[in-house]
Amino acid sequence: NSAPVTESRTGMSFPSILKESQRLLGIGLRKKAIFGLKNIDVYAFGVYADDGDVKKCLAQKHVGPSDSELKQKEELRDHLMENDIRMTVRLQIVYGRLSIGSVRSAFEESVGSRLLKFGGYDNKELLHRFTSQFKDDIKIPRGSIIELSRDHGYILHTTIDGKEVGSIQSKLLCRSILDLYIGDESFDQKAKEDVESNLASLLHK
Ligand code: DAO
Ligand code: DAO
Ligand code: DAO
């Protein structure tokens, strides 16, 4: 079935198939506390993976039959994040007043914490050099669509409203970005659980 799926809290609608072969596996919501007071809904996100790549990869994956169902699901999710599977995280902006400065600092904080977690990589200067490329004149009003796509060879492509703004080859960066959305401390537990259930059902097909 190919009907779009709506994120219930924001009403943002996600196509069930992207780039012809990437299937929607989970959706979630990124919130942010501002001034330690109020939680704003920043964007809704959808996580996609290439069907063929996933099937090939799951076919090679041996899940311990004696492991609990939960453990099996976690293993599948880890496997998805670690391997050379084409994936996309699609962000649909909800908060209409994002400044590029706040995007830079959120990026440095969230992505920075994961680079440290997976790479032991704590180069603030480099991160800052990277985010300084987010030009002040970029506009991301409500409804803007940012896609972060991992291509074969661990190349991360970033597009805003369909226009490529950059690409970088780094397994560590791809892993770090995916961890924000479907890792153990995902922005939204529901997205992570959706992905686990969908992978498990693909495995048992
Ligand atoms: O602009 O003052 C403000 C508050 C908004 C903070 C939101 C930060 C979240 C940014 C991540 C966006 C990535 C597209
Ligand atoms: O929500 O903290 C977060 C992570 C946001 C990652 C978004 C990357 C956006 C990169 C393009 C921005 C260009 C202004
Ligand atoms: O991938 O093994 C590697 C090398 C590490 C490169 C990390 C680059 C991170 C720099 C910040 C970029 C944020 C997009």
Side-chain angles (χ1 to χ4, degrees):
N1 79 69
S2 56
V5 178
T6 300
E7 199 287 317
S8 59
R9 291 158 291 181
T10 59
M12 288 287 174
S13 168
F14 289 82
S16 57
I17 303 284
L18 217 57
K19 301 175 200 278
E20 290 175 12
S21 58
Q22 293 194 21
R23 181 201 299 261
L24 183 61
L25 296 179
I27 55 182
L29 178 58
R30 159 70 154 137
K31 299 186 191 205
K32 170 101 181 154
I34 47 171
F35 314 120
L37 291 171
K38 196 175 148 228
N39 256 321
I40 54 170
D41 295 346
V42 185
Y43 55 79
F45 62 89
V47 180
Y48 296 78
D50 183 86
D51 240 6
D53 289 356
V54 168
K55 281 178 187 140
K56 218 181 295 167
C57 185
L58 291 186
Q60 294 159 357
K61 172 78 185 141
H62 176 77
V63 292
S66 61
D67 290 342
S68 70
E69 196 185 320
L70 184 67
K71 178 117 192 301
Q72 291 188 6
K73 284 181 166 179
E74 282 177 356
E75 278 188 29
L76 292 173
R77 178 170 52 87
D78 270 351
H79 202 61
L80 183 75
M81 287 190 283
E82 292 289 346
N83 287 280
D84 196 7
I85 296 170
R86 284 168 290 183
M87 290 185 70
T88 297
V89 183
R90 177 177 165 110
L91 318 181
Q92 299 192 182
I93 305 296
V94 175
Y95 183 72
R97 289 155 58 193
L98 273 181
S99 68
I100 292 302
S102 57
V103 174
R104 279 193 207 106
S105 56
F107 188 96
E108 286 170 23
E109 183 186 324
S110 58
V111 180
S113 73
R114 266 52 173 209
L115 289 173
L116 188 60
K117 173 177 169 187
F118 295 111
Y121 190 92
D122 188 22
N123 193 329
K124 291 263 161 25
E125 206 268 328
L126 182 55
L127 248 183
H128 190 77
R129 199 159 13 128
F130 183 82
T131 57
S132 65
Q133 301 176 88
F134 301 174
K135 295 280 180 279
D136 285 328
D137 61 356
I138 298 176
K139 296 274 181 289
I140 39 174
R142 183 183 169 90
S144 300
I145 295 173
I146 298 178
E147 285 181 358
L148 305 162
S149 285
R150 181 175 71 181
D151 209 344
H152 280 149
Y154 304 96
I155 298 170
L156 182 78
H157 294 278
T158 303
T159 63
I160 301 179
D161 294 332
K163 191 164 155 269
E164 180 151 308
V165 294
S167 69
I168 179 170
Q169 200 260 339
S170 167
K171 188 173 182 179
L172 172 61
L173 181 61
C174 291
R175 180 69 178 82
S176 296
I177 297 266
L178 289 171
D179 194 71
L180 297 174
Y181 300 100
I182 58 171
D184 289 333
E185 291 166 83
S186 160
F187 288 138
D188 190 331
Q189 292 301 299
K190 187 183 162 292
K192 185 184 88 174
E193 286 160 16
D194 284 353
V195 168
E196 287 178 345
S197 303
N198 280 313
L199 286 175
S201 69
L202 286 172
L203 180 67
H204 296 123
K205 235 175 223 165

